[in-house]
Amino acid sequence: MKRRPLPVAAALVATAALLLTACGSGDDSSKDNDKIAGADTGSETPKESPEPSAAPAEDKPDGVDVSLPKDMNLVFDWDKPEKENEAAAMEDAANYVRAIYRGVDKRTTDEAALVAYSTGDGLKYAKTQIDVRIEGGWTATGTRRHYQATTRSASNGNSVEVAFCVDSSKFYSKEVKTEKVLKGKPSITDFDYFKIIMVKRPTGEGLWQASKVFVEAKAAKCQ
């Protein structure tokens, strides 16, 4: 992972239609099917800058902890793009996903990693993913695979679309209180196709944030 100092946070305007997606394998009881309409949010400044944690250096790519428990395995099976901006945006898209599941594990939306790697509707999406699991009393366990990634840069060089497939057939919801793992029959609901719009943080050197998230559920092209 890269090493970059984390600058003072700033945000960009973002508008998107967000689809709340599932965590688990074919288990409709723990599927998240609500849709959230995004809205223009303007510039945002967090109350305070994220502070470094005591995590190992490899789990702090920008001085922010994105480490996860051993039973929560996020696999990013993709090749690094040749273009520097696209490679950085893709790496931070992965960190954005890690930040979401760190919030799920820690049972909070007040994670420094969320401030570092998301803004606008990207931050709204992340918080909703975490909140619905907190309310449902679930965390996650298993392996979530991300693959078939592509990148596309905007002409201004300040935004990159990072698109990829997700296979959650071996990634399950787990009840926090009982530690019961909720498994179901494998199905098309285990496959989603994501498009995340990553924007370059104007005050940061090489830091990219998720500003919009689009999800195609039951994505046959990802099977």
Side-chain angles (χ1 to χ4, degrees):
M1 290 186 176
K2 57 188 176 302
R3 306 286 188 267
R4 296 189 301 250
L6 185 67
V8 177
L12 301 178
V13 175
T15 304
L18 306 181
L19 175 64
L20 190 62
T21 58
C23 169
S25 177
D27 186 350
D28 290 337
S29 66
S30 60
K31 295 290 184 183
D32 312 323
N33 298 315
D34 299 330
K35 290 184 179 181
I36 304 167
D40 290 335
T41 56
S43 295
E44 301 173 358
T45 302
K47 295 180 180 179
E48 58 184 46
S49 298
E51 296 181 359
S53 71
E58 61 269 21
D59 289 327
K60 299 194 299 178
D62 295 289
V64 180
D65 195 348
V66 292
S67 61
L68 297 169
K70 292 181 180 180
D71 70 332
M72 195 182 289
N73 186 26
L74 305 184
V75 176
F76 297 92
D77 186 11
W78 55 42
D79 295 325
K80 185 177 180 179
E82 293 183 2
K83 294 182 179 180
E84 184 178 353
N85 274 1
E86 293 184 2
M90 177 181 279
E91 187 172 355
D92 283 345
N95 286 329
Y96 169 64
V97 176
R98 293 184 183 105
I100 291 174
Y101 282 98
R102 179 171 171 80
V104 170
D105 175 56
K106 299 299 183 183
R107 321 303 292 161
T108 180
T109 57
D110 294 328
E111 268 295 318
L114 292 178
V115 176
Y117 296 113
S118 61
T119 184
D121 283 325
L123 182 58
K124 288 181 182 179
Y125 174 85
K127 288 186 174 183
T128 304
Q129 291 287 307
I130 297 166
D131 280 338
V132 81
R133 289 165 174 81
I134 293 174
E135 292 170 6
W138 310 314
T139 182
T141 187
T143 299
R144 188 179 196 253
R145 181 169 169 254
H146 310 73
Y147 55 101
Q148 294 182 13
T150 60
T151 53
R152 182 175 60 176
S153 299
S155 58
N156 62 10
N158 291 326
S159 66
V160 174
E161 176 192 273
V162 180
F164 53 90
C165 287
V166 172
D167 177 1
S168 299
S169 60
K170 296 181 181 179
F171 197 58
Y172 314 106
S173 293
K174 182 174 73 172
E175 293 179 353
V176 174
K177 289 184 178 180
T178 66
E179 297 190 350
K180 178 182 178 181
V181 177
L182 306 178
K183 293 185 179 181
K185 294 181 179 180
S187 72
I188 187 65
T189 60
D190 296 323
F191 298 90
D192 301 297
Y193 184 68
F194 278 72
K195 288 184 179 180
I196 301 179
I197 307 302
M198 304 296 295
V199 294
K200 182 180 279 188
R201 191 185 226 166
T203 58
E205 183 179 350
L207 183 65
W208 294 75
Q209 297 176 302
S211 66
K212 303 178 184 179
V213 181
F214 303 93
V215 185
E216 176 187 336
K218 300 181 182 179
K221 61 188 172 185
C222 292
Q223 285 186 302

